[in-house]
C-alpha cells in the first residue's frame, strides 16, 4: 500500500508535542491540514508554530473545537502527540484511516496513567508505543513501540524523561511509514495492566506495620521519586512523612 501525500491532522501539547511539531514542519509541512493546541501561557507548541511561521489559518485552539468544527476537519491520519484529553467519537471521525496516539508505556503494560510509577512498583516492562485509538483507553492496535530498559538507578523521574526522548525518536522513525501505509497495526497482546490516576496516592503509602521485601520497598520508593512531585509517604503519630531514595552503583 502506498498512501504518499496523505493529509495529516495534529493534536499536540507539551515538550513532546512541540518537538514532534517542529519535526513535521521541517519534514512534511505540505501534508499538515491542521494543528490543534491548548491555549495556555508558556505553551511550547505555540512557540514552535511562531518560530516556524506556520499558517495561522491551520492552527486550531482546543477551546474552539465545537461539534460543527470537528465535522469540518477531515484528514487521512490524525496524531495525538502527548495530548492530555481522552478522545471522543467526533475526534476519531476526523481521520479517514485512523488516529494514532503517543503513549509512554510498553503496551499492553501500564495502560492509563502514571506508567513510569507502575512499571517500577510492579516490575513490568517499560517503553513507548504508537497505537491506533478507539473509545477504550490505550487499547488500540500497536503500530510501533520501543522498550526502555529499567535499571536499579532509575526512578519515576528518569523513566519519565527517557519516555519523552524515546517517543520523539520513535515518532520520527515511523511517521512516514505510518502515513504511507507501510506499517500494519497489530492487535495488543492479551493481559498487561491498567491504572487510573486516583490509584497513585494509595499505592504510594508505606504501611509501617506491613512486611515488605527489600526489593518491594526500594521499588516503591524509587518509583515515586520524582522531585518536585509528591513522594512515597507514611504516617506516624498523626504526622505525615515523605520518603525518596537515591540508588547509585558502587564502582
Amino acid at each position: 500500500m502506498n498512501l504518499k501525500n496523505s493529509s495529516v491532522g495534529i493534536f499536540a501539547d507539551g515538550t513532546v508535542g512541540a518537538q514532534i511539531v517542529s519535526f513535521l514542519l521541517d519534514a512534511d509541512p505540505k501534508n499538515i491540514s491542521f494543528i490543534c493546541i491548548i491555549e495556555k501561557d508558556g505553551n511550547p507548541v505555540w512557540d514552535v508554530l511562531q518560530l516556524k511561521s506556520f499558517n495561522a489559518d491551520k492552527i486550531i485552539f482546543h477551546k474552539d473545537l465545537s461539534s460543527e468544527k470537528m465535522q469540518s476537519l477531515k484528514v487521512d491520519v490524525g496524531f495525538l502527540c502527548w495530548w492530555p484529553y481522552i478522545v471522543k467519537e467526533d475526534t476519531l471521525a476526523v481521520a479517514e484511516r485512523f488516529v494514532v496516539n503517543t503513549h509512554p508505556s510498553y503496551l499492553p503494560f501500564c495502560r492509563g496513567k502514571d506508567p513510569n510509577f507502575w512499571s517500577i512498583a510492579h516490575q513490568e516492562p517499560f517503553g513507548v508505543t504508537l497505537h491506533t485509538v478507539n473509545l477504550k483507553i490505550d487499547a488500540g492496535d500497536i503500530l510501533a513501540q520501543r522498550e526502555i530498559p529499567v535499571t536499579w538507578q532509575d526512578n519515576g523521574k528518569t523513566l519519565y524523561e527517557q519516555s519523552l526522548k524515546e517517543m520523539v525518536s520513535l515518532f520520527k522513525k515511523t511517521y512516514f511509514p505510518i502515513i504511507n501505509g507501510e506499517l500494519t497495526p497489530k492487535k495488543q497482546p492479551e493481559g498487561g495492566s491498567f491504572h487510573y490516576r486516583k490509584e497513585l496516592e494509595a499505592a504510594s503509602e508505606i504501611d509501617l506495620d506491613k512486611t515488605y521485601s527489600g526489593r518491594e520497598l526500594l521499588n516503591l520508593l524509587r518509583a515515586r521519586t520524582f522531585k518536585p512531585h509528591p513522594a512515597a509517604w507514611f504516617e506516624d503519630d498523626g504526622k505525615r512523612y515523605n520518603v525518596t531514595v537515591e540508588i547509585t552503583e558502587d564502582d
Side-chain angles (χ1 to χ4, degrees):
M1 182 188 299
N2 191 324
L3 299 171
K4 291 183 178 179
N5 299 318
S6 295
S7 57
V8 173
I10 307 295
F11 298 82
D13 192 49
T15 302
V16 168
Q19 292 183 44
I20 288 176
V21 166
S22 180
F23 161 74
L24 291 175
L25 293 183
D26 290 336
D28 194 31
K30 67 181 184 302
N31 288 331
I32 299 176
S33 295
F34 69 85
I35 298 177
C36 182
I37 67 173
I38 300 169
E39 191 172 32
K40 60 184 179 182
D41 293 337
N43 188 339
V45 182
W46 176 254
D47 293 340
V48 169
L49 294 173
Q50 297 302 296
L51 180 65
K52 302 283 187 177
S53 300
F54 184 65
N55 185 345
D57 292 337
K58 294 185 177 182
I59 300 174
I60 304 170
F61 290 107
H62 178 255
K63 66 180 180 63
D64 297 326
L65 281 182
S66 63
S67 296
E68 293 75 15
K69 182 66 175 178
M70 293 295 287
Q71 291 175 10
S72 70
L73 301 175
K74 297 299 178 184
V75 295
D76 294 312
V77 181
F79 288 94
L80 306 178
C81 302
W82 232 246
W83 193 243
Y85 299 108
I86 295 175
V87 301
K88 300 180 181 179
E89 290 185 21
D90 54 0
T91 303
L92 297 182
V94 165
E96 193 71 28
R97 290 170 55 201
F98 44 61
V99 175
V100 180
N101 185 43
T102 53
H103 184 66
S105 85
Y106 196 72
L107 295 177
F109 301 99
C110 302
R111 300 189 303 271
K113 290 291 188 179
D114 309 303
N116 52 320
F117 171 84
W118 296 108
S119 178
I120 295 176
H122 286 180
Q123 291 290 274
E124 294 184 310
F126 185 70
V128 293
T129 304
L130 290 167
H131 67 91
T132 63
V133 181
N134 55 35
L135 294 179
K136 296 181 179 180
I137 300 173
D138 303 328
D141 295 341
I142 294 172
L143 283 158
Q145 58 184 171
R146 181 178 295 172
E147 187 169 3
I148 298 174
V150 181
T151 73
W152 270 112
Q153 292 157 283
D154 281 309
N155 56 39
K157 184 175 184 177
T158 64
L159 288 197
Y160 178 76
E161 291 174 343
Q162 287 183 72
S163 72
L164 302 182
K165 178 181 177 181
E166 293 299 330
M167 180 53 73
V168 174
S169 173
L170 182 62
F171 186 95
K172 290 180 178 179
K173 180 179 179 180
T174 59
Y175 169 73
F176 284 108
I178 288 173
I179 67 168
N180 293 340
E182 297 165 9
L183 286 179
T184 302
K186 297 180 180 179
K187 186 177 181 180
Q188 289 191 33
E190 297 293 331
S193 56
F194 181 94
H195 296 282
Y196 292 102
R197 171 61 52 82
K198 63 185 179 182
E199 299 175 51
L200 182 61
E201 179 70 0
S204 302
E205 180 181 7
I206 302 166
D207 185 342
L208 296 180
D209 297 314
K210 178 180 176 180
T211 299
Y212 297 85
S213 70
R215 184 181 300 273
E216 288 172 332
L217 185 56
L218 286 172
N219 284 336
L220 171 57
L221 293 176
R222 67 193 182 104
R224 201 71 206 271
T225 296
F226 193 158
K227 295 180 180 180
H229 298 293
W233 59 279
F234 66 88
E235 289 185 348
D236 192 37
D237 196 23
K239 295 181 181 179
R240 176 166 167 151
Y241 300 86
N242 298 314
V243 188
T244 60
V245 66
E246 180 181 359
I247 299 176
T248 58
E249 186 177 356
D250 194 5
D251 295 329

